[in-house]
Amino acid sequence: FSKLTYFASSNKYYEGIIKNLSHGGAYIETKTKFLNGDELKLVVPGPNKYIQIRCKIIHFNQTGFGVKFKSVLKIEKLPETKLSSRRLTM
């Protein structure tokens, strides 16, 4: 699994790559450094919607960090114009 994601902490925005995703959490590869216990808002993109989740960092290493999902903040469907640009026309 490898999906570009965006996340926010203390009114600053960052990007990373979700490398592992489960119902309870995720591992995010990023150069941004955080500490255990820090909280952030994570955007998990899907094919036709995205989910914004409040998370808590539970471990970190040199290439990224693992988060535990705390609560879903928003589920939003992408506008139809963005969906149609993703479809291939033959």
Side-chain angles (χ1 to χ4, degrees):
F1 189 82
S2 185
K3 191 77 162 175
L4 179 66
T5 187
Y6 299 95
F7 52 95
S9 178
S10 301
N11 294 324
K12 293 183 182 176
Y13 298 90
Y14 309 93
E15 69 177 43
I17 299 172
I18 299 174
K19 289 299 217 176
N20 190 335
L21 181 65
S22 70
H23 289 295
Y27 179 79
I28 301 165
E29 217 172 65
T30 183
K31 294 179 181 179
T32 308
K33 303 297 180 202
F34 290 100
L35 300 173
N36 280 346
D38 285 351
E39 292 196 4
L40 53 92
K41 293 178 186 173
L42 174 69
V43 175
V44 179
N48 60 359
K49 65 181 173 184
Y50 71 89
I51 303 170
Q52 190 179 85
I53 304 171
R54 192 170 58 117
C55 306
K56 183 175 185 175
I57 295 175
I58 56 172
H59 66 86
F60 63 95
N61 59 29
Q62 294 173 344
T63 60
F65 54 83
V67 296
K68 180 178 180 180
F69 299 149
K70 295 187 81 176
S71 63
V72 174
L73 299 171
K74 181 193 289 189
I75 299 175
E76 189 161 319
K77 193 171 182 176
L78 293 172
E80 194 62 36
T81 56
K82 289 186 180 179
L83 288 175
S84 62
S85 67
R86 291 182 180 199
R87 294 191 187 115
L88 296 176
T89 55
M90 299 278 179

